[in-house]
Amino acid sequence: IRTAWPERLSLYPLGVARSALLSPSPRLLSPGTRTLFSETGVWEKEYRPETRRRVEEWWHPRIMAQWRKDALEEDSKGKKFYVLSMFPYPSGRLHMGHVRVYTISDTIGHFQRMRGHQVLNPMGWDAFGLPAENAAIERGLDPEEWTKREEELLGLVTSRFTTCLPDYYRWTQYLFVKLFQAGLAYQKEAVVNWDPVDQTVLADEQVDENGRSWRSGALVEQKLLTQWFIKTTNYAKPLLDALADLPEWYGVKAMQANWIGDCTGCYFDFKLKVNGEETGETLSAYSSSPETVFGAAYLAILPSHRLLHGSSSVRSVLEKVEVGPGGIVSESSHHNMLNTLATGVFCFSLKRLVMSRSVFMFFIRSHMFIVCLCLTGIPDCSEEDLSVARALNLRWTTVLKSDEDGTQTLVNSDEFSGLTRQQAFDSITQKSRDQRVGGHLTSSKLRDWLISRQRYWGTPIPVVHCGSCGPVAVPEDELPVTLPKLPSLTGKGTSPLEDAHDWVSCTCPRCKGPARRETDTMDTFVDSAWYYFRYTDPQNTVRPFERHLADHWLPVDVYIGGKEHAVMHLYYARFLCHFCKDQGLVAHREPFRKLLVQGLIKGQTFKLADSGQYLKREDIDFTDKEPVARRGGRVEVTFEKMSKSKHNGLDPQDVVQQYGVDTVRLYILYAAPPEQDILWNVKTDALPGVLRWQSRLWQLVTKLRAARQPGDIPNPSLLKKKELAETKKIWDNKNYAVQEVTSHFTGDFLFNAAISRLMGLTNTLSSATAAVVQHSVEFEEALAVLVLMTAPMAPHLASEMWAGCLPLQQRGDVLQQSWPAVDPKYLDVPEFVELSVMINNKACGSVTVPLQVSKDSERVQQLILESPLGQKLLSARSIKRAILSPRTALINFLVEE
């Protein structure tokens, strides 16, 4: 299975429409205009900007055509390789960060295909969400129209799917229904971020570090709204434990583990009663020692808990409770006591629900309950809980008995009495899970996933609200619930779907009575939590994906994206994969085998030192050593994440027009290792080096063509001893380059180091004498290897070079070739090694020594001094020091002159 999009940076470069970049308007060629060898059979000796433009223009459609042809003929017996870039979001033009991630994934895809693998490297668009809706509102457009315009602008003619289309979000709704049926999707009141100016809910990432809205600048308020959640906490312990099976999540595993926290306790669901009568309220309380829950004395909640706000049926009771010093309920409030009864497993009464303003500080001190809103107080297990219970004059049941050997067993715990603490822990949590009243191991700080958005442009939540039946999931055969067309959007107030009266009014699927559709839409994180499945079967109209296809391609072999997604997105995607495994939809529990986390591309930024105002480059005077603002004022020069507001952004289209697709690709790969930031400065960094290297590569083909005529066959017998030594060096360097570059492409993804090694091979070939170029097979083979290993990174340049190499013309296009292998003889371990000898940093000859002692400095010195070379040059001289190189076969003697 292939898609045209893995070639997007060489075919539709940088994801931008062809007409904008590689397919400029046709123009008539003047008589003196240079043309390509592939067009005319005439080789251009220099690689000039015009040559580069013609190369990319010529090879662009041909590589695409060959790609499509190969897709139909691909050998299904090859080992699969699934390389995936994180979901792009077309809310605006692609930026240099997109360029980097797609260049990396495209390079890996080409490399793996040349190794004979089946490669899946797809492309889709995460098109729902707040930015697209706001952009449409600002322009007076329908969000769907705006999104289609963006896709056309970006040249997305071959994308595999777009999340805002019903044929995709139908299956997002399908998975939501599965979660709802499993009891993992639920609705409750929750505090959200509210923008009082725009009158809209904001996601956490849309609130800046000062607590202000990213759009209006207003101070964000906290507002209680009824929201939809997915109970990800039920999977916290499996998700935490499964990190041990992900050895190649370098650096990210610790972030995921910290996000989840220590899963040593669990929540229990308690039904609340007032004066012995059911209230309909359920209180979920965390216990760090679930096995001792029969000894609980009280529950503690924070003043911000939902029971004290909104429409809670016990709010009026709790508001009458007086809170005294230290957060302890005063004696005068005894008549307002709440009795709580655990459902299912436990049948006992707690005498009081404690509301404490000091609980939050207590949680921080204990390092256990940093943001827990409700806590089970168990005096047997905690000195703090014991102090609170005594201060309240509460009674509790002792549930632990210590034996002589130090083992603790349970007492006064019904059927669990007599069990050890570990046995009781396992039994109580398991029975709680069986009866769906909690028991899932999690941390006290982890929260369920809030997915509600009170906006229009998102996947409709497939639920209807019936007065008789409550919330009811839309039947699967009635999906998708499509978005209605609305005459206008303001982005303010309640959900826009509330105004679609004909759409909102519906029939309950269960009782056939009148009902109302849910008017919240889903957060876009839901769309991107399962898209890696859909890529394996994007045209399926019967189900989200066929299991055998998902099982074939998953897990993703390399997943590439920014570190900003290392927590939330990866956590949600892992959760969905675990859930799908439990539902029998897939065989794999973890979706991504290896993570490649990329750094940012930062632009040079200028801002006034006194005010922090960002300035454009044209507002700066660079006449003196230190830049100053033209209007006066000292300027600070830094590198920061590219942004329009900081005037330091780059338009990929402009960069490609100036330097070419291959140059930009090579620069992205060469400037820094993938996980490090790139500081974009075209005058002082890697770009000049990349431009020079492309010219030197081109010169090698020019050199070979000048040395040989068509039909010439190399005749190594004409080479002299010195020239044969030169061919041996070329052979060694070629094999070393293959070994190193292959290792970088498969292991650490240090593409900058791979390019450096290829530059080294280029130097070796550039220094070859005319006789070696004309008559050695080694030069020809090394040049072929050099072009082949350049092809994944610079496919246009490599394609033309391959076509221009006379001995290689009959082998097909470069991207159809197999990746080169190290010659077996190179891997043979020699018994002896030739050690270069230097005296005072000057080469003096070489001595052959046994390989097994070649790293022993004293033994090597002894052998050299005993050799004819040593007797001649060193026997009568005073040796101050001998330095044996740890990397190469070389020793340097420092002697008295």
Side-chain angles (χ1 to χ4, degrees):
I1 297 176
R2 285 183 179 175
T3 172
W5 266 106
E7 193 56 41
R8 59 190 165 273
L9 288 178
S10 55
L11 302 179
Y12 293 109
L14 314 184
V16 184
R18 274 190 287 181
S19 60
L21 293 178
L22 289 190
S23 297
S25 301
R27 47 183 174 171
L28 296 176
L29 299 178
S30 66
T33 301
R34 303 176 186 277
T35 57
L36 294 183
F37 172 82
S38 297
E39 288 181 283
T40 65
V42 177
W43 183 259
E44 188 63 46
K45 293 183 179 180
E46 302 291 335
Y47 192 61
R48 298 179 172 87
E50 175 65 15
T51 309
R52 182 263 303 162
R53 188 193 69 80
R54 295 288 294 163
V55 164
E56 295 183 352
E57 188 178 60
W58 172 268
W59 281 104
H60 167 79
R62 285 160 178 80
I63 295 174
M64 174 67 86
Q66 185 62 51
W67 188 279
R68 289 171 176 160
K69 180 181 177 182
D70 291 348
L72 301 175
E73 302 173 357
E74 188 168 31
D75 181 9
S76 61
K77 295 181 181 179
K79 183 181 178 181
K80 74 92 180 175
F81 195 92
Y82 188 175
V83 56
L84 182 60
S85 302
M86 288 186 182
F87 231 2
Y89 191 95
S91 61
R93 300 184 72 111
L94 291 183
H95 54 70
M96 293 302 294
H98 292 120
V99 175
R100 190 178 194 187
V101 68
Y102 303 146
T103 296
I104 293 171
S105 65
D106 188 58
T107 297
I108 294 173
H110 278 309
F111 164 71
Q112 293 293 346
R113 192 169 291 106
M114 292 174 76
R115 296 182 81 201
H117 291 170
Q118 284 182 286
V119 175
L120 180 61
N121 182 14
M123 183 72 169
W125 295 93
D126 190 11
F128 269 141
L130 188 64
E133 182 175 337
N134 286 338
I137 291 171
E138 290 171 3
R139 292 161 177 80
L141 298 174
D142 179 87
E144 183 176 0
E145 181 184 351
W146 162 253
T147 303
K148 287 181 179 179
R149 286 191 184 186
E150 288 299 294
E151 291 182 357
E152 291 171 1
L153 172 68
L154 300 174
L156 311 184
V157 295
T158 57
S159 60
R160 294 174 73 86
F161 56 72
T162 302
T163 58
C164 66
L165 297 180
D167 59 1
Y168 181 84
Y169 70 72
R170 168 189 180 183
W171 303 114
T172 304
Q173 293 174 339
Y174 170 89
L175 292 172
F176 177 90
V177 171
K178 291 290 186 185
L179 289 162
F180 185 80
Q181 293 170 344
L184 295 175
Y186 66 96
Q187 195 175 31
K188 73 172 185 180
E189 289 183 317
V191 175
V192 296
N193 300 310
W194 181 259
D195 185 327
V197 173
D198 279 349
Q199 294 286 292
T200 185
V201 170
L202 299 174
D204 287 341
E205 58 269 23
Q206 293 159 349
V207 181
D208 67 18
E209 62 272 15
N210 298 316
R212 294 184 177 274
S213 167
W214 68 293
R215 293 188 73 242
S216 70
L219 279 173
V220 172
E221 300 172 356
Q222 300 297 296
K223 190 171 183 178
L224 195 70
L225 294 175
T226 300
Q227 303 281 279
W228 280 95
F229 293 81
I230 294 176
K231 195 171 287 190
T232 52
T233 52
N234 281 17
Y235 279 78
K237 188 66 163 65
L239 288 167
L240 181 65
D241 292 345
L243 291 173
D245 300 325
L246 301 172
E248 297 185 273
W249 280 41
Y250 307 113
V252 176
K253 285 173 61 173
M255 297 172 68
Q256 283 269 307
N258 183 63
W259 173 267
I260 296 171
D262 294 330
C263 298
T264 55
C266 70
Y267 284 90
F268 292 118
D269 293 337
F270 295 90
K271 287 184 178 179
L272 301 186
K273 291 183 177 182
V274 176
N275 298 324
E277 295 183 5
E278 294 280 356
T279 65
E281 287 284 357
T282 299
L283 180 60
S284 185
Y286 186 81
S287 173
S288 59
S289 301
E291 73 279 10
T292 62
V293 72
F294 282 88
Y298 63 90
L299 302 181
I301 63 173
L302 293 176
S304 59
H305 195 279
R306 65 175 182 85
L307 290 179
L308 304 175
H309 305 277
S311 59
S312 166
S313 60
V314 298
R315 177 180 178 180
S316 60
V317 176
L318 291 174
E319 285 177 340
K320 298 175 183 177
V321 176
E322 297 178 19
V323 181
I328 304 302
V329 179
S330 67
E331 292 297 321
S332 64
S333 64
H334 280 188
H335 65 280
N336 289 322
M337 283 187 245
L338 290 179
N339 292 326
T340 65
L341 180 65
T343 62
V345 180
F346 317 110
C347 190
F348 64 94
S349 292
L350 305 181
K351 295 301 182 183
R352 188 165 308 154
L353 183 69
V354 180
M355 179 179 64
S356 172
R357 292 194 180 100
S358 64
V359 169
F360 186 68
M361 294 304 297
F362 160 68
F363 291 161
I364 291 178
R365 287 201 309 273
S366 68
H367 302 289
M368 295 172 63
F369 309 106
I370 295 177
V371 293
C372 186
L373 293 178
C374 185
L375 163 71
T376 307
I378 305 176
D380 274 10
C381 300
S382 165
E383 289 294 330
E384 290 87 352
D385 292 358
L386 178 61
S387 298
V388 173
R390 284 176 173 170
L392 292 170
N393 293 320
L394 297 178
R395 296 179 181 178
W396 65 90
T397 302
T398 298
V399 293
L400 291 177
K401 181 186 72 171
S402 296
D403 298 330
E404 293 181 359
D405 60 0
T407 302
Q408 288 186 312
T409 57
L410 262 68
V411 295
N412 301 318
S413 300
D414 289 355
E415 64 189 271
F416 308 105
S417 297
L419 300 179
T420 65
R421 290 193 68 171
Q422 185 59 52
Q423 290 171 336
F425 183 99
D426 296 338
S427 297
I428 289 175
T429 54
Q430 181 62 53
K431 190 166 185 180
S432 299
R433 292 193 294 270
D434 292 343
Q435 299 193 9
R436 293 194 174 187
V437 293
H440 295 274
L441 298 187
T442 185
S443 70
S444 59
K445 68 178 182 179
L446 193 63
R447 290 289 165 269
D448 284 338
W449 180 11
L450 190 159
I451 66 164
S452 288
R453 294 295 179 267
Q454 288 72 38
R455 298 300 293 256
Y456 170 76
W457 195 233
T459 297
I461 295 177
V463 170
V464 300
H465 297 276
C466 173
S468 301
C469 306
V472 180
V474 174
E476 293 173 9
D477 59 1
E478 295 182 16
L479 299 177
V481 177
T482 57
L483 283 170
K485 288 289 186 180
L486 295 181
S488 64
L489 296 172
T490 64
K492 298 181 179 181
T494 58
S495 170
L497 292 176
E498 293 276 5
D499 298 327
H501 303 295
D502 292 340
W503 181 85
V504 171
S505 298
C506 62
T507 301
C508 174
R510 185 176 298 164
C511 70
K512 308 306 179 185
R516 290 176 52 84
R517 292 194 187 280
E518 174 60 55
T519 56
D520 281 358
T521 54
M522 297 187 208
D523 179 20
T524 55
F525 273 119
V526 183
D527 301 311
S528 60
W530 74 279
Y531 74 112
Y532 50 88
F533 287 132
R534 186 65 175 175
Y535 277 142
T536 67
D537 194 12
Q539 306 305 321
N540 198 322
T541 60
V542 179
R543 51 185 58 89
F545 48 85
E546 290 289 351
R547 173 166 175 166
H548 74 275
L549 290 174
D551 288 349
H552 170 72
W553 286 108
L554 262 67
V556 174
D557 294 279
V558 180
Y559 193 38
I560 308 165
K563 200 168 187 177
E564 65 272 20
H565 300 299
V567 175
M568 287 192 295
H569 163 63
L570 288 176
Y571 177 71
Y572 300 145
R574 293 181 62 222
F575 162 77
L576 249 297
C577 196
H578 278 238
F579 172 73
C580 287
K581 168 69 166 61
D582 290 345
Q583 292 289 307
L585 298 175
V586 292
H588 300 284
R589 191 168 291 278
E590 286 293 330
F592 313 119
R593 174 178 286 120
K594 187 169 188 172
L595 284 183
L596 180 54
V597 177
Q598 67 167 41
L600 300 172
I601 296 184
K602 294 184 175 181
Q604 198 169 31
T605 307
F606 307 95
K607 59 183 177 181
L608 290 174
D610 54 353
S611 66
Q613 177 188 353
Y614 289 98
L615 302 175
K616 297 180 180 179
R617 177 176 284 271
E618 52 264 34
D619 297 330
I620 310 297
D621 183 354
F622 294 96
T623 305
D624 296 330
K625 185 177 180 180
E626 296 293 332
V628 295
R630 296 190 185 278
R631 296 181 180 179
R634 186 170 64 86
V635 174
E636 292 181 350
V637 183
T638 58
F639 282 89
E640 299 183 27
K641 182 178 180 180
M642 290 185 177
S643 167
K644 289 182 181 179
S645 63
K646 298 176 182 178
H647 310 297
N648 68 341
L650 287 172
D651 187 334
Q653 179 176 338
D654 295 339
V655 178
V656 169
Q657 287 283 28
Q658 183 175 358
Y659 298 107
V661 175
D662 286 342
T663 302
V664 173
R665 288 170 63 106
L666 289 171
Y667 170 82
I668 291 293
L669 298 171
Y670 183 55
E675 69 275 6
Q676 292 184 11
D677 294 338
I678 292 177
L679 307 182
W680 185 278
N681 188 338
V682 297
K683 293 183 179 180
T684 59
D685 62 9
L687 194 59
V690 164
L691 289 167
R692 288 193 300 269
W693 182 48
Q694 290 178 91
S695 296
R696 298 183 69 211
L697 286 171
W698 191 269
Q699 284 295 320
L700 290 176
V701 178
T702 301
K703 187 175 183 177
L704 178 63
R705 293 184 64 84
R708 297 190 193 178
Q709 298 300 316
D712 283 359
I713 299 176
N715 187 357
S717 64
L718 300 178
L719 298 176
K720 299 176 182 179
K721 182 178 180 181
K722 184 176 181 181
E723 292 161 343
L724 289 173
E726 189 179 335
T727 63
K728 175 63 167 58
K729 180 181 178 182
I730 291 174
W731 183 83
D732 284 339
N733 284 358
K734 176 202 73 174
N735 282 288
Y736 181 60
V738 172
Q739 192 174 52
E740 291 294 297
V741 173
T742 303
S743 174
H744 290 311
F745 271 50
T746 56
D748 52 24
F749 298 116
L750 295 179
F751 300 108
N752 59 322
I755 292 175
S756 294
R757 178 46 47 203
L758 294 180
M759 288 178 172
L761 182 57
T762 303
N763 292 339
T764 300
L765 296 179
S766 297
S767 63
T769 60
V772 169
V773 176
Q774 184 177 6
H775 291 297
S776 77
V777 175
E778 287 81 3
F779 182 91
E780 174 186 322
E781 291 180 345
L783 179 56
V785 164
L786 178 59
V787 176
L788 285 170
M789 292 194 293
T790 302
M793 298 179 286
H796 304 90
L797 173 63
S799 294
E800 183 67 12
M801 289 177 60
W802 188 262
C805 289
L806 286 171
L808 311 178
Q809 286 181 9
Q810 304 304 315
R811 301 186 187 179
D813 293 340
V814 67
L815 291 173
Q816 296 177 273
Q817 309 305 310
S818 296
W819 186 258
V822 176
D823 294 326
K825 288 182 63 177
Y826 181 78
L827 299 175
D828 293 342
V829 179
E831 295 182 7
F832 295 91
V833 62
E834 190 172 352
L835 197 73
S836 298
V837 179
M838 302 181 73
I839 298 177
N840 289 342
N841 301 315
K842 295 181 180 179
C844 299
S846 61
V847 174
T848 300
V849 300
L851 178 66
Q852 61 183 3
V853 300
S854 62
K855 299 300 181 183
D856 186 334
S857 182
E858 292 185 4
R859 188 78 179 98
V860 168
Q861 289 182 54
Q862 179 185 351
L863 291 173
I864 290 175
L865 292 174
E866 294 172 354
S867 71
L869 179 70
Q871 290 290 323
K872 179 181 177 180
L873 300 178
L874 294 170
S875 59
R877 308 181 76 170
S878 174
I879 300 173
K880 295 189 294 182
R881 186 183 176 192
I883 304 172
L884 181 65
S885 172
R887 296 183 179 85
T888 59
L890 181 148
I891 189 169
N892 186 16
F893 288 91
L894 303 180
V895 302
E896 297 283 356
E897 293 290 350

